[in-house]
Amino acid sequence: MIGAVKQESHDRMASVLRGAKEEGNLDGLLLASGRRTVRPTGIVANIATATVMTSALFAGAVGPAFGRPAAEPHYENIALATKTPFVGDHALVRFETDTDNLTAAPTDGAVEEDGSIKLQVDKGHLEHSERKITGGESLFSGGINFSSEEKQVRQAKLTSMSLNIGNGKVHSKINGVDVVLGVIDTSTLLLQKKKDSRQLDVVILDRDVELSDEAAKKLDSSLGTTAFTEGDARLTMSAVCRVNLNKALAADLGLDLDAAIKAELDKEIQLNEPIDLAPGQKFRHLREAR
């Protein structure tokens, strides 16, 4: 509406000025241009009237016409998460199956005593803000080779695995095709740190990977089996993602940097929930470290 009023005022003023020019009304032209003040008669009166009308209409559009003055724009305070880069460490993926002819082995890397395949954290970051861990992403090097030997040897290769801490999604490539491999529960995290160390580990322990339909079908298709779609083949995952403490991260732990470095920490926290390290029972790890 305001735009329409402005356009109407502009058109009316232009019409008046054209009339003043055609009639040779020098006073009207000079007054309209702001160079001269004369008694408002004739064309000049029209200009003055048009100006007053425009002002009144415009004032009414932004005020009384809506029953109240125009509101000031409102902007909510949005806290942007700080990103602290990961400097290590690893993920452990364990494969379990009820089918004898399916096996899993690392493309590179190590196999742990329990059969878990170890993938190294290649890069990524932790996101934190306002005394909360809010998310992050970890990318892993290495991969997993699945093999099926029922009739002939068939393989499916998992590579380029990554974990989104914020939503628990595990992404991967299966034989070179990007898929959402599945989802794990990242709602509970474990913060661990040794005394007098700058390194803090964000730990996710033994979570079942809820395979996506796409990933299960692709794995079964590649291996010539139905084990993944029928639930006879399962994956569990743990991850240790390491960061170096800095002032921003220490502040979101509720500590200054020196206190955070000195502290010994073994604390379970909830994703997107305030970190409570206040004095008392929940502060015992930090108090004992002093």
Side-chain angles (χ1 to χ4, degrees):
M1 178 178 177
I2 294 173
V5 170
K6 287 184 176 180
Q7 184 62 46
E8 181 182 352
S9 172
H10 180 274
D11 293 341
R12 187 176 298 173
M13 185 66 75
S15 176
V16 171
L17 290 174
R18 283 195 300 271
K21 184 176 180 180
E22 291 171 359
E23 295 179 16
N25 190 332
L26 180 60
D27 285 343
L29 290 171
L30 291 175
L31 179 63
S33 65
R35 298 180 184 177
R36 185 178 176 185
T37 303
V38 297
R39 183 170 57 88
T41 60
I43 298 298
V44 178
N46 290 337
I47 297 174
T49 301
T51 303
V52 171
M53 290 176 62
T54 301
S55 299
L57 286 170
F58 185 73
V62 297
F66 287 94
R68 57 182 173 82
E72 291 293 326
H74 174 69
Y75 302 98
E76 294 184 2
N77 292 326
I78 301 174
L80 298 179
T82 300
K83 296 182 179 181
T84 298
F86 290 135
V87 296
D89 198 70
H90 65 273
L92 295 175
V93 180
R94 186 169 65 250
F95 173 65
E96 297 176 343
T97 180
D98 301 326
T99 305
D100 293 334
N101 62 345
L102 281 178
T103 59
T107 57
D108 63 39
V111 178
E112 301 295 294
E113 291 183 1
D114 65 353
S116 297
I117 295 172
K118 191 173 186 178
L119 308 174
Q120 297 297 323
V121 172
D122 185 37
K123 56 185 176 180
H125 63 271
L126 181 70
E127 296 179 6
H128 48 94
S129 175
E130 298 185 322
R131 297 288 297 273
K132 303 172 187 177
I133 302 299
T134 58
E137 185 176 26
S138 183
L139 286 72
F140 306 101
S141 61
I144 302 172
N145 266 330
F146 294 103
S147 296
S148 171
E149 301 178 3
E150 185 172 353
K151 295 180 180 179
Q152 59 181 348
V153 176
R154 300 177 67 170
Q155 291 188 329
K157 182 182 291 187
L158 293 186
T159 56
S160 303
M161 290 183 64
S162 66
L163 168 63
N164 186 313
I165 297 173
N167 57 28
K169 287 186 178 180
V170 181
H171 289 258
S172 180
K173 289 184 178 180
I174 299 179
N175 294 336
V177 178
D178 287 313
V179 297
V180 175
L181 181 64
V183 179
I184 67 172
D185 181 5
T186 57
S187 61
T188 301
L189 306 172
L190 184 63
L191 302 182
Q192 293 184 325
K193 195 187 80 64
K194 295 180 179 180
K195 182 180 179 180
D196 295 324
S197 172
R198 185 178 286 267
Q199 293 186 329
L200 173 72
D201 290 340
V202 180
V203 183
I204 299 167
L205 288 175
D206 293 328
R207 305 297 163 81
D208 293 332
V209 180
E210 184 179 340
L211 290 176
S212 69
D213 290 342
E214 180 187 12
K217 290 176 182 178
K218 192 171 289 293
L219 286 168
D220 277 347
S221 175
S222 299
L223 295 167
T225 181
T226 58
F228 287 95
T229 53
E230 294 181 359
D232 295 328
R234 299 168 297 279
L235 297 175
T236 58
M237 183 176 184
S238 298
V240 179
C241 301
R242 182 166 296 163
V243 295
N244 284 330
L245 281 168
N246 53 43
K247 288 184 178 181
L249 180 54
D252 282 328
L253 295 176
L255 302 168
D256 62 44
L257 182 57
D258 288 341
I261 292 173
K262 292 177 181 177
E264 180 178 9
L265 186 61
D266 185 10
K267 172 70 177 176
E268 189 175 90
I269 66 166
Q270 300 300 310
L271 185 72
N272 284 314
E273 293 293 332
I275 299 172
D276 185 2
L277 297 179
Q281 184 178 3
K282 293 182 178 181
F283 199 62
R284 64 185 183 277
H285 302 290
L286 304 178
R287 187 171 63 245
E288 292 169 358
R290 292 175 182 172

